[in-house]
Amino acid sequence: MAGPESPPHAALRPVREAQPWCVDGWRARPAAQMPQYDDPVELQRVLERLGQLPPLVTSWEVLALKDLLAEAQAGKRFVLQGGDCAETFADCNHEVIANRLKVLLQMSLVLVHGLRMPVLRVGRFAGQYAKPRSADTETIEGVTLPAYRGDLVNGPEFTSAARRPDPMRMVEGHARSAMTMNFVRALVDGGFADLHHPEYWNLAWVERSPLAAEYRRMVDGIGGAVRFMETLAGPIVGFMKVDFFTSHEALLLPYEQAMTRQVPRQWGWFDLSAHFPWIGMRTAALDGAHVEFCRGIRNPIAIKVGPAMHADQLRQLIDILNPDDEPGRLTLIHRMGAGGISQHLPRLIEAVKAEGRRVLWVCDPMHGNTEKLGSGVKTRRFANIRSELEQAFEIHAAAGTRLGGVHLELTGEDVTECMGGARDLSEADLARAYKSTVDPRLNYEQALELAMLIVRKSGQATR
Ligand code: PEP
Ligand code: CO
């Protein structure tokens, strides 16, 4: 079996004769959450154009990520996956992108320092533009229009023009993803992410944060360690650099198909719209189009696992998506809710353990804890997010498995969307800066607090 010395993907072709797969085979399956485009000719023209455009990531990066995820499965890395619930075209700007990167960098600094292990950073960005919805339509004052499905599909304004699924949005989404990617890569390569200069990541409004002092102590500690090592060994350049990988929900299959390519000197197909696509909770049907599409691509894949998931469905999903138990291939992101995790996670862990299958367990403490207030505003309570995460560490420790990462919705903007946290945001505070068009996100301070909590909890769970 391939060990860490020989990269797991090096020569790995499927051992078993899998069911034949083709890039548009998903079209023969029931496809949930798909918009109805009204002009098939226009749609086809756009998809052909998209198919000619350059990919957003490369197969080398995708395979490198798979190796890193395999290391996380082996307990040698912790995964921090985070970003917006839904990116918007309007927010594809310098400030939003840089601020989001700053929060992720600061969180990962806290995690590296506290967990004493490398952190694998995966953004929910550069393509997180398509959203599943609970209903296909929305009715306001007797007018019914298609639901907003993310900027990749239609616009959020409640007019029939905005809500019409417009194929050209896929071309625009590709372009915005490329701009985001380009800026992130330039920042990271240009030194913004250099551990020698964590002060680059400071966000203006944070100075007054109750967490600032604790964070500054960590930064000083790391600065001291870097200076100490450089005194001994000379300037450290290479390993101080941090990388980002991209992920999004592989929801809009015509878009994903157009970005799925064969590349020279590699076998198989790669979805080059992002490094790490995931299958959402609403599209994980065994015979559904999303599972069919994802089984044939060579990217690492994640599945969102909610409280309704049956052990048998999970076993079959693992069989379909990772028949050869390839290291790094499959991540299970559980999102049960603070009130449901103790009931549902243990049975699923046992099912996976009983099959002896290799997965990376990641906790999304956001999506099972969404609630609607009397005012109609969607929020999440920090106490519930925290509780689900703490329980996740405990449940995995008790089962002898390892929680290898977290999946969060956060932003570097000073928003007030989730209640609680260090500043104890109340229902009244939500009105001050509620900007999300979809799910409520952690703001900078709440995100950093969660990173500190992960360090504390993970220390307890492994003691
Ligand atoms: C999401 O991650 O934004 C999402 C919709 O998640 P889930 O599929 O877990 O509900
Ligand atoms: Co969301």
Side-chain angles (χ1 to χ4, degrees), residues 10 14 22 47 114 129 133 148 189 252 324 366 402 435 443 456:
C22 57
L47 291 175
Y129 286 122
R133 302 317 304 257
Y148 169 59
D189 291 345
L252 188 60
D324 298 306
M366 313 294 298
R402 171 178 179 263
K435 298 187 190 156
N443 63 25
R456 277 198 292 278

Side-chain angles (χ1 to χ4, degrees), residues 21 31 53 63 71 89 160 162 179 233 264 284 329 349 353 357 390 394 430 432 443 456:
W21 180 91
L53 292 174
L63 293 177
E71 289 182 17
F89 293 170
S160 51
M179 288 177 224
R329 161 72 168 173
I349 292 178
K353 268 170 66 182
R357 302 307 288 264
E390 288 182 339
E394 285 158 15
L430 297 187
R432 181 167 66 78
N443 63 25
R456 277 198 292 278

Side-chain angles (χ1 to χ4, degrees), residues 437-454:
T437 45
V438 204
D439 287 340
R441 302 157 296 176
L442 298 168
N443 63 25
Y444 162 88
E445 213 165 76
Q446 293 166 327
L448 210 57
E449 189 173 351
L450 216 56
M452 292 176 181
L453 181 103
I454 291 166

Side-chain angles (χ1 to χ4, degrees), residues 127-354:
Q128 176 50 23
Y129 286 122
K131 294 307 298 173
R133 302 317 304 257
S134 47
D136 285 342
T137 57
E138 186 179 350
T139 301
I140 298 180
E141 291 169 3
V143 180
T144 299
L145 294 175
Y148 169 59
R149 292 187 171 277
D151 279 9
L152 198 58
V153 175
N154 55 4
E157 304 80 19
F158 195 74
T159 64
S160 51
R163 291 294 174 91
R164 171 187 177 258
D166 177 357
M168 272 311 284
R169 283 179 164 271
M170 289 190 270
V171 174
E172 184 165 1
H174 172 273
R176 303 257 165 178
S177 301
M179 288 177 224
T180 306
M181 242 358 239
N182 180 57
F183 187 45
V184 170
R185 288 186 195 275
L187 281 172
V188 169
D189 291 345
F192 179 77
D194 187 334
L195 277 178
H196 290 90
H197 295 289
E199 72 277 8
Y200 293 171
W201 318 335
N202 285 344
L203 287 150
W205 61 280
V206 170
E207 284 307 309
R208 304 174 306 274
S209 167
L211 302 171
E214 190 174 347
Y215 177 70
R216 212 163 291 122
R217 266 198 304 281
M218 281 182 209
V219 170
D220 291 346
I222 290 176
V226 170
R227 279 191 297 281
F228 175 68
M229 277 162 55
E230 292 192 328
T231 310
L232 292 180
I236 303 162
V237 188
F239 92 80
M240 287 296 159
K241 208 177 121 253
V242 288
D243 286 320
F244 275 90
F245 293 93
T246 60
S247 67
H248 63 244
E249 180 170 349
L251 186 68
L252 188 60
L253 293 177
Y255 176 81
E256 301 300 332
Q257 182 191 328
M259 297 308 295
T260 297
R261 317 278 169 86
Q262 286 179 297
V263 301
R265 288 175 295 283
Q266 288 285 1
W267 60 270
W269 294 77
F270 291 83
D271 183 348
L272 299 178
S273 70
H275 302 109
F276 191 15
W278 79 81
I279 299 174
M281 191 187 67
R282 291 162 195 78
T283 47
L286 287 168
D287 63 348
H290 295 80
V291 171
E292 173 58 21
F293 173 77
C294 286
R295 90 179 163 88
I297 56 175
R298 288 191 62 199
N299 305 54
I301 302 286
I303 319 172
K304 291 285 202 94
V305 177
M309 177 76 75
H310 289 289
D312 201 50
Q313 182 189 356
L314 185 58
R315 270 193 291 265
Q316 291 185 61
L317 280 170
I318 294 174
D319 259 344
I320 295 170
L321 291 166
N322 194 17
D324 298 306
D325 203 30
E326 182 191 3
R329 161 72 168 173
L330 199 58
T331 295
L332 301 181
I333 305 174
H334 47 78
R335 31 90 77 225
M336 304 293 183
I341 186 168
S342 65
Q343 184 189 347
H344 297 290
L345 184 57
R347 62 181 173 83
L348 297 175
I349 292 178
E350 285 318 311
V352 175
K353 268 170 66 182

Side-chain angles (χ1 to χ4, degrees), residues 44 72 160 195 354 357 360 378 380 385:
Q44 198 45 40
S160 51
L195 277 178
R357 302 307 288 264
L360 176 68
K378 256 209 241 175
R380 291 162 173 157
I385 295 170

